[in-house]
Every structure is written in C-alpha cells, then in structure tokens.
Amino acid sequence: MAETSEAKASTSPPGGDAGGEEDKRDERMLECNICLDTARDAVVSMCGHLFCWPCLHQWLETRPSRQVCPVCKAAISRDKVIPLYGRGNTKQEDPRNKRTEPENTSAFPGFSFGDGFHMSFGIGAFPFGVFTSTFNFGDSRPSAAPRGTAQYDEEQFLSKIFLWVAILFVLWLVFA
Amino acid sequence: MAAMSPSERRLQKELMSLMKEPPPGVTVDGDQASQNLTLWTVHMEGVPGTLYEGEKFVLQFKFTNKYPFDSPEVTFIGNNIPVHPHVYSNGHICLSILTDDWSPALSVQSVCLSIVSMLKTTAGQFVLC
C-alpha cells in the first residue's frame, strides 16, 4: 500500500503550478487553428489539422476556388474533413449539417445596437393610407364615447398625441 | 462590456502572446494596440550581421473586421523605411503572405518573422517583384 501511494506521489508533478502549465499545454493542443479558441464543433482535415467547423467553413467560403488547409496548404474540402465527437458530446450531430449562421454584413442602412436589436424607418404605401382613411364610406365604426366619461378623455388625449407626432413628422420631413 | 467579435477575440489572444513571447528584435506597442485592437504598432530592430544592423523600424498593422479571413495591411511607417527591393519607399511591403498566400493560420507573429527573414536576404538572393 505504502509503495503504491509513494509511486503516485512521484508521478504527479510537485506543486499546483506545474499541473496548471500542463493543463494549459493540453488545452492548446485542442485549439482551433483559426480562432485560437478551444475548437467548437471540431473537425479535422485529412492532413490532421484541427478547426472549428464554423471557422473552417468561413475560410472555405472566402476562397471557394482555391480551398486549401490554412496550416499546410494541402487540398481540403467540405467532404474530406472528419467531425470529432468527444465524450461530452452526446448528440453526435455532424456539424456540417448544422445551419451555419450567415455573417452579419450590415448592408441595410438601419440602426443596430449590438448584436440583437435592429431598427429601421420607412414609409409603406404612403398615398394609399390617405385614401383608406379618407374614403371610408359606409363602414359602421363605433360612435364616439359620450363627453365627460373617462373614455372620452382618453380618446382626446390620444388624438392630441397623434396630432403632435404627425406635426413633428412633417417638420422633420421639411427640415431634415 | 460589450461582447467581443471573433476577430477582436483573436486579436486580443495574439496581443497577449506577442507581448509575452515576442520574437527576437520585435516589440509590440501593447498600450496602443489594446486601446484600438484594429491598429497595432510594432517596433523592429535590424538583425545583427545584416545591412540593417543597429537600425530601428516601425511597422503598422491594420486589421479589418474580417480578420483572420482577410490579411492584415502591413506597412513600414515613420521616417526610417528599410532600403530593400521588396519594400517601396512609401513603406509598402511586397510579400506574398500579405496578399494571395495569406492564411488564417498565420498570425502577427508569423508575419513579423517573415519580414525579419525578408530583411535578412542579401543582394542576389531575391527576385524583383
């Protein structure tokens, strides 16, 4: 018993620092050659080089006519890479069949804040809006609420707000 | 802090490793680079035993947001531009890995090494471009 524990002690590196260093080297072994992060949806080329599939896919798209391994320039293609499934990966889904997110090329001149939020302004079918609101014959809209009720006040308030919004919009159109 | 884009993440990693283990004669201006990750200034010393011994050069790296899929734009800046057949007087460098032969597995460090090695070649060893 004593012997085995001694053997263990001698094989394990003394101190925590050396262990950390070794861990770091192990991690670097599994880094994608493109993003330098630990490979996600890892694939390996025929020449043995490891990449994230999204990274490699983007590189193949960058130069579709000359698809070469970024590391050694050997020929490489979508069909000739091998996906790697580690133990933690239970689904074993081929990353090549996953939809790769299209790159965000902000071609549309709108407003975007960060990644998620996008806002844009436009005028849709502008003249028809006038007709539809002006020439509404014979539709039976509910009659206005009687004066003095809370609903009446609310309606007046809303119509004032819309009037001001419309005025501001017209001013903006004129001066901008 | 806003989430980093993939290109910024990679530049940050490269900056860390270049500051930690720079190739001989190469130093990166870490403060400037960490302020603006897309524009780096790298100082380079002429290699002893070559024409450029004792000289100091300044390189500028410009990265697009498509880095590392797009190559960086690398030029010599400042008033000391090396006199070399592959370096124009305006600082432009004629080096294949900066254009057609770029690969995302290359890095700022490997580009620096290539430029150091390019400056080591002596007359007769190169072809004009």
Side-chain angles (χ1 to χ4, degrees), chain A residues 126-136:
Chain A
F126 170 58
F128 304 107
V130 177
F131 295 125
T132 49
S133 55
T134 316
F135 305 104
N136 282 341

Side-chain angles (χ1 to χ4, degrees), chain A residues 33 43-51 56 67-77 80-82:
Chain A
N33 280 291
V43 294
V44 68
S45 62
M46 297 294 269
C47 42
H49 296 115
L50 182 71
F51 306 96
L56 184 64
Q67 301 192 330
V68 292
C69 170
V71 181
C72 68
K73 312 235 158 173
I76 195 171
S77 75
K80 287 189 181 144
V81 296
I82 300 154

Side-chain angles (χ1 to χ4, degrees), chain B residues 23-115:
Chain B
V26 173
T27 42
V28 60
D29 188 338
D31 290 339
Q32 195 214 334
S34 46
Q35 267 177 21
N36 181 3
L37 273 176
T38 62
L39 191 72
W40 294 22
T41 307
V42 174
H43 299 269
M44 189 174 271
E45 286 166 21
V47 180
T50 66
L51 280 175
Y52 310 99
E53 181 170 350
E55 288 196 70
K56 283 190 164 58
F57 306 111
V58 183
L59 279 168
Q60 187 186 58
F61 282 71
K62 267 191 211 165
F63 305 93
T64 66
N65 60 356
K66 289 218 180 81
Y67 183 80
F69 300 100
D70 257 3
S71 58
E73 197 186 302
V74 187
T75 46
F76 279 105
I77 55 167
N79 15 9
N80 195 17
I81 309 275
V83 180
H84 188 275
H86 292 179
V87 180
Y88 296 104
S89 55
N90 63 2
H92 185 97
I93 304 167
C94 187
L95 190 64
S96 68
I97 59 159
L98 295 178
T99 53
D100 295 343
D101 288 342
W102 169 256
S103 133
L106 293 171
S107 61
V108 174
Q109 176 161 356
S110 55
V111 168
C112 287
L113 281 176
S114 288
I115 293 173

Side-chain angles (χ1 to χ4, degrees), chain A residues 3-14:
Chain A
E3 258 182 31
T4 49
S5 66
E6 239 171 57
K8 259 185 204 164
S10 63
T11 48
S12 65

Side-chain angles (χ1 to χ4, degrees), chain A residues 33-47:
Chain A
N33 280 291
I34 294 178
C35 66
L36 313 183
D37 268 331
T38 306
R40 178 172 56 92
D41 288 339
V43 294
V44 68
S45 62
M46 297 294 269
C47 42

Side-chain angles (χ1 to χ4, degrees), chain A residues 53-64:
Chain A
W53 171 247
C55 292
L56 184 64
H57 182 258
Q58 198 177 342
W59 170 240
L60 297 179
E61 295 279 294
T62 308
R63 286 184 192 175

